[in-house]
DNA sequence: ACAAGTATGTAGCACTTGCTACAATATTGG
DNA sequence: CCAATATTGTAGCAAGTGCTACATACTTGT
């Protein structure tokens, strides 16, 4: 029964869990410490400041996000961009992805207010999704790079509209898209 | 020199100003009161609670947003959807619109966390923009309703990508769009 | 004029925030 | 073993949070 050594690495997982469940707004030191089974005192000791803690935490969460994407690989290749769009929309709508979606808008808001670490975390998540999407496009797609960027733009727009209760607009919007090289 | 009667209507403008300049995060009672030249005590007196104050404030800001859109009417009609998209992108990139853009992501984040008033404010702003965009489409557009929704979806996606420092993806995405009926 | 509301100032409460001082223990290298 | 270092607990601070109690005014309708 070796006592687990407490370190950044052992503290990050439960804190990431807390943030994915409750968002960043209530993620102050004492609730985070409670979730990790320590005290605010120790969080400062291990991370130096809340600011650096959050930076590390966002980075760690981006890694979790990467794993979640990796695990949803596989399944046979798709034959049209339309089909690909539907698959990605379905992926982002999965129940296990909802905590990330909820967190996502806080990250975007934080990035526009120049909170340290937010922009980096947001950007890395976008690039992950973009690269993953390229692997989802039809094999014979004439322009996977451009196609993926186009689809990603549409998808993010649709997700935002969904977030403010305008799903209908997004649905009509997606339906009206001529998806370039089909 | 009649003393101006202090009321909700006279308090909202300076508070809206404060929120557009500083965002919603630092908009606690005392800073808001200071911006409006009163005390937190009076804000509670006039609005009942901070929750209701923010609801009213978001509604009021949505009205300001509507005015800003109205004022940018005019200019001759455009002849292609592509041109329309560029015009709307230019509109949302205007300096005077940036406070709204910064505030926007806080509203979206708040909406996903069910903060009262946020979803309503966000939705009304989206519909305003959508309706305005319909007036910007080419007169001979075969499907202004669907076209506007499609363009709006693209635009919101591009704005989000821009917010997390992925402008390049958005530009490529917009460039790859086949804009339906041109 | 007088009672009844309306409006406002001053103080404060109970709580949370990030963070620190101080002391105690655990671990480890010589 | 013993000294240095790493880790942790307890307590607290100064500031900020939404909100309230209480005492004033200032304006009304009668």
């Amino acid at each position: 029964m070796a006592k687990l050594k407490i370190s950044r690495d052992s503290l990050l997982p439960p804190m990431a869990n807390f943030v994915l469940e409750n968002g960043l707004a209530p993620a102050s030191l004492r609730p985070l410490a409670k979730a990790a089974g320590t005290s605010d005192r120790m969080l400062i000791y291990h991370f130096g400041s809340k600011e650096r803690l959050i930076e590390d935490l966002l980075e760690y969460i981006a890694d979790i996000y990467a794993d979640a994407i990796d695990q949803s690989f596989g399944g046979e290749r798709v034959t049209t961009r339309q089909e690909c769009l539907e698959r990605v929309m379905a992926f982002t709508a999965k129940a296990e992805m909802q905590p990330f979606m909820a967190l996502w808008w806080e990250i975007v808001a934080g990035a526009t207010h120049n909170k340290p670490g937010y922009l980096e975390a947001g950007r890395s998540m976008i690039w992950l999704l973009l690269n993953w999407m390229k692997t989802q496009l039809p094999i014979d797609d004439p322009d996977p790079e451009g196609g993926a960027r186009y689809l990603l733009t549409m998808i993010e727009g649709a997700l935002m509209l969904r977030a403010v209760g305008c799903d209908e607009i997004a649905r009509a919007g997606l339906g009206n898209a001529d998806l370039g090289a089909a």
Side-chain angles (χ1 to χ4, degrees), chain A:
Chain A
M1 267 331 222
K3 186 170 86 179
L4 290 206
K5 212 198 307 197
I6 289 182
S7 66
R8 293 180 185 227
D9 293 344
S10 75
L11 290 171
L12 284 173
M15 292 196 296
N17 210 51
F18 177 89
V19 164
L20 284 170
E21 273 181 15
N22 304 98
L24 282 161
S28 48
L29 287 181
R30 285 167 180 81
L32 284 175
K34 188 177 175 187
T38 348
S39 65
D40 55 332
R41 166 72 183 72
M42 291 317 296
L43 293 186
I44 295 293
Y45 175 74
H46 283 294
F47 293 89
S49 71
K50 190 201 176 185
E51 186 171 302
R52 264 177 290 173
L53 188 159
I54 295 293
E55 291 176 45
D56 289 4
L57 192 48
L58 288 180
E59 200 179 326
Y60 177 73
I61 288 176
D63 287 347
I64 302 183
Y65 179 70
D67 290 346
I69 288 188
D70 279 349
Q71 285 191 350
S72 83
F73 261 76
E76 68 288 355
R77 206 59 171 261
V78 107
T79 59
T80 69
R81 283 187 174 180
Q82 176 69 39
E83 222 179 323
C84 175
L85 183 141
E86 278 158 19
R87 176 175 290 192
V88 179
M89 283 303 284
F91 168 69
T92 58
K94 278 165 90 172
E96 72 216 62
M97 284 295 122
Q98 289 328 289
F100 290 98
M101 294 313 305
L103 188 55
W104 178 249
W105 305 113
E106 290 192 80
I107 293 178
V108 176
T112 74
H113 282 81
N114 293 317
K115 292 198 193 175
Y118 283 67
L119 192 135
E120 295 78 359
R123 187 154 50 187
S124 82
M125 283 166 136
I126 286 290
W127 281 102
L128 271 167
L129 189 53
L130 180 66
N131 287 326
W132 175 76
M133 196 146 44
K134 272 189 279 187
T135 73
Q136 298 283 59
L137 280 175
I139 334 170
D140 59 340
D141 194 286
D143 179 16
E145 195 65 46
R149 284 161 192 240
Y150 170 53
L151 289 188
L152 183 62
T153 307
M154 290 280 319
I155 286 163
E156 298 297 349
L159 292 177
M160 200 220 71
L161 290 172
R162 184 193 290 169
V164 292
C166 295
D167 336 36
E168 20 170 354
I169 297 179
R171 266 197 303 275
L174 295 184
N176 262 269
D178 266 0
L179 294 177

